[in-house]
């Protein structure tokens, strides 16, 4: 899946929205005033202090107290101590932070923790266990899919998504498409693709 597919809001859309607001002479109002105007049925205004967010991470319900600006990646790594997803670029460019959100791959550095409220998050740690590796994790071991390992958790999640989507018939081209948003500075791409196809055949 391409990297633009994995972002919740594109930077272009964000700037476009900000530009329209500026052009119309809109004046930013305090959050509390906005909340009163919108009433109970309007959009929920969160923050600026810590707020509660309950999400399901790797099959377990987790209630976090996070500032609204906290990204899903930050929430996974700090309060939850799930350090598989890596903060490499922290701006939706490299794929090292890839996790599944309701089964779809996303860059967790571009998703807010509060946006994941009530949704299912699967990280690399949630795919298998050291004693019982996921087929993709085992295939990465068998096919030397990792070198320095910084991109590997994100690559594994992207490959697991491809295997789940295409099943036994996963082709190398489909695996390449699924990992198109994941960069590897060590150049493990041929090994990663072989591992994905092998894992798919394993079922
Ligand atoms: S750390 Fe999220 S895309 Fe690079
Ligand atoms: S294994 Fe080093 S960046 Fe991919």
């Amino acid at each position: 899946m391409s990297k633009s597919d994995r972002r919740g809001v594109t930077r272009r859309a964000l700037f476009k929205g900000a530009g329209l607001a500026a052009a119309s002479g809109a004046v930013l109002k305090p959050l509390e005033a906005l909340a009163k105007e919108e009433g109970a049925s309007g959009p929920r205004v969160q923050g600026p202090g810590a707020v509660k967010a309950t999400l399901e991470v790797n099959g377990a319900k987790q209630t976090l107290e996070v500032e609204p600006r906290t990204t899903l990646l930050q929430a996974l790594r700090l309060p939850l101590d799930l350090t598989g997803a890596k903060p490499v670029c922290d701006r939706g460019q490299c794929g090292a932070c890839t996790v599944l959100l309701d089964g779809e791959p996303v860059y967790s550095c571009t998703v807010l923790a509060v946006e994941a409220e009530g949704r299912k998050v699967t990280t690399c740690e949630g795919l298998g266990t050291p004693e019982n590796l996921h087929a993709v994790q085992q295939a990465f071991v068998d096919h030397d899919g990792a070198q320095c390992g910084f991109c590997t958790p994100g690559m594994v999640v992207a490959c697991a998504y491809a295997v789940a989507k295409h099943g036994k018939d996963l082709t190398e081209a489909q695996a390449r498409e699924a990992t198109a948003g994941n960069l590897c500075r060590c150049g493990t791409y041929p090994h990663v693709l072989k591992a994905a196809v092998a894992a798919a055949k394993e079922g």
Side-chain angles (χ1 to χ4, degrees), residues 73 86-97 107 109:
L73 175 62
K86 299 281 183 286
V88 173
C89 70
D90 211 21
R91 60 192 61 205
Q93 296 289 315
C94 72
C97 63
Y107 292 150
C109 70

Side-chain angles (χ1 to χ4, degrees), residues 101-181:
L101 189 59
D102 288 338
E104 293 290 320
V106 295
Y107 292 150
S108 58
C109 70
T110 66
V111 177
L112 295 173
V114 292
E115 287 181 290
E117 164 90 29
R119 302 175 73 181
K120 290 184 182 172
V121 180
T122 307
T123 70
C124 187
E125 293 93 334
L127 294 175
T129 64
E131 300 75 34
N132 186 20
L133 294 177
H134 183 281
V136 169
Q137 293 168 325
Q138 185 61 55
F140 266 62
V141 175
D142 298 341
H143 294 270
D144 286 334
Q147 286 194 37
C148 79
F150 264 83
C151 72
T152 309
M155 283 285 196
V156 166
V157 171
C159 289
Y161 168 76
V163 170
K165 183 174 175 189
H166 298 287
K168 284 186 187 301
D169 298 330
L170 176 73
T171 64
E172 210 166 287
Q174 287 165 334
R176 188 177 294 113
E177 161 71 17
T179 54

